[in-house]
Amino acid sequence: MCNQRGGGRMGYSGRKQQEQEIRKRDIVDAAERVFSRKGFENASMDELAKEAEFSKRTVYTYFSSKEQIYCEIMIRGYRLLIGMIEGSRHARPPQNAADELHAIFLAFFEFSRSRPDYCTAIMEYETTDSASQSRMQDESKAECYRLGEVIFGYLSRALRKGVAEGTLRGGLDTEQAAVLLWACTIGIYATGKKKADYLKHYHGIESDEFISQSFRLMMRLIGVNGEEPDEEGV
């Protein structure tokens, strides 16, 4: 009988935890819709609570701030992006460093087109000030950092491989180069998204072509003698 009562208590605890996870997911789902319509800065916790059909007090039970909810959205985005990078690598296993780098940037490009909401969340997070990030809970912030480092690791390993192959500049500081490539990637996609009309009307270049050419330029900057390393089979 004691074991049965114990099992019952565990069952209740499990159901309660499941209900809490469902509520958290519903709040984040609602926040995605509100942020998509109004933008992060213009959205309020009252609007998030109304969209989720919870009281504001209930929302604050699960999330300490609007920034905290936004962080959960970024975590979703990072995980989707990592999944797309892995999927690209498995669909066409990279044969050299250029292949690996191309797979990473192609995955980011497809991610920006298929999930612009998540892509925007990541770009804004990567360029936000430290004061805003300080309002996020340490656990969620640490998860954002960890997932960001996973992507950074893809870049860093590909660069080290390229130096070892001799297809990238000898003596290249691969850690610094990985940081610069990621920063450039964020900036390029942000420009392509926010300045699409300007690029087209004043420079005669479509956003997609701007992104593609920017990637090729970055590859030439780190290639041997300023040349773009060749991709296998391209």
Side-chain angles (χ1 to χ4, degrees):
M1 294 294 291
C2 290
N3 288 339
Q4 289 177 351
R5 285 197 297 270
R9 285 194 297 271
M10 288 297 291
Y12 170 76
S13 176
R15 286 194 300 273
K16 186 176 181 180
Q17 183 177 1
Q18 186 178 42
E19 289 172 1
Q20 290 174 340
E21 290 301 318
I22 291 173
R23 284 190 173 189
K24 288 178 68 175
R25 186 184 64 211
D26 289 344
I27 292 169
V28 176
D29 288 346
E32 285 188 12
R33 295 191 293 272
V34 174
F35 291 152
S36 178
R37 290 197 304 266
K38 304 197 66 174
F40 173 74
E41 295 295 338
N42 296 324
S44 68
M45 288 293 272
D46 288 301
E47 290 169 317
L48 300 186
K50 183 178 180 180
E51 182 76 19
E53 299 182 346
F54 292 125
S55 69
K56 190 162 72 169
R57 182 176 180 179
T58 298
V59 173
Y60 274 114
T61 299
Y62 296 99
F63 299 100
S64 62
S65 66
K66 186 173 67 170
E67 289 80 11
Q68 176 68 18
I69 300 175
Y70 199 65
C71 190
E72 293 298 322
I73 294 173
M74 288 184 290
I75 289 171
R76 288 182 176 184
Y78 273 126
R79 288 173 177 165
L80 278 172
L81 175 56
I82 289 169
M84 292 179 73
I85 292 173
E86 286 293 335
S88 176
R89 288 163 57 86
H90 290 147
R92 182 186 175 187
Q95 302 301 309
N96 52 39
D99 271 356
E100 292 199 30
L101 290 169
H102 184 264
I104 294 168
F105 287 106
L106 180 60
F108 198 97
F109 177 75
E110 293 175 349
F111 175 69
S112 72
R113 299 297 298 272
S114 63
R115 299 310 304 258
D117 47 349
Y118 287 130
C119 187
T120 297
I122 289 176
M123 287 191 294
E124 291 185 355
Y125 169 72
E126 292 286 354
T127 56
T128 194
D129 59 88
S130 299
S132 296
Q133 293 184 12
S134 68
R135 292 191 286 271
M136 301 174 184
Q137 290 185 357
D138 289 343
E139 182 179 347
S140 295
K141 194 192 311 185
E143 180 66 2
C144 280
Y145 287 162
R146 186 189 70 80
L147 293 170
E149 286 299 303
V150 171
I151 297 172
F152 176 83
Y154 292 134
L155 289 170
S156 183
R157 285 191 296 273
L159 291 169
R160 288 198 299 271
K161 182 176 181 179
V163 171
E165 291 171 346
T167 56
L168 299 182
R169 295 186 181 201
L172 181 70
D173 187 324
T174 56
E175 295 298 301
Q176 287 188 8
V179 172
L180 290 171
L181 282 178
W182 180 238
C184 287
T185 300
I186 294 297
I188 288 165
Y189 277 92
T191 300
K193 179 179 185 296
K194 296 179 179 180
K195 299 289 187 178
D197 288 341
Y198 167 78
L199 291 170
K200 180 177 181 179
H201 292 111
Y202 284 90
H203 295 281
I205 184 171
E206 297 287 346
S207 178
D208 289 355
E209 180 64 15
F210 166 77
I211 292 171
S212 175
Q213 291 298 328
S214 297
F215 169 69
R216 295 178 70 88
L217 175 60
M218 286 193 293
M219 293 298 289
R220 286 197 295 271
L221 289 173
I222 61 177
V224 177
N225 298 324
E227 297 177 356
E228 184 178 353
D230 293 328
E231 297 170 42
E232 187 72 18
V234 176

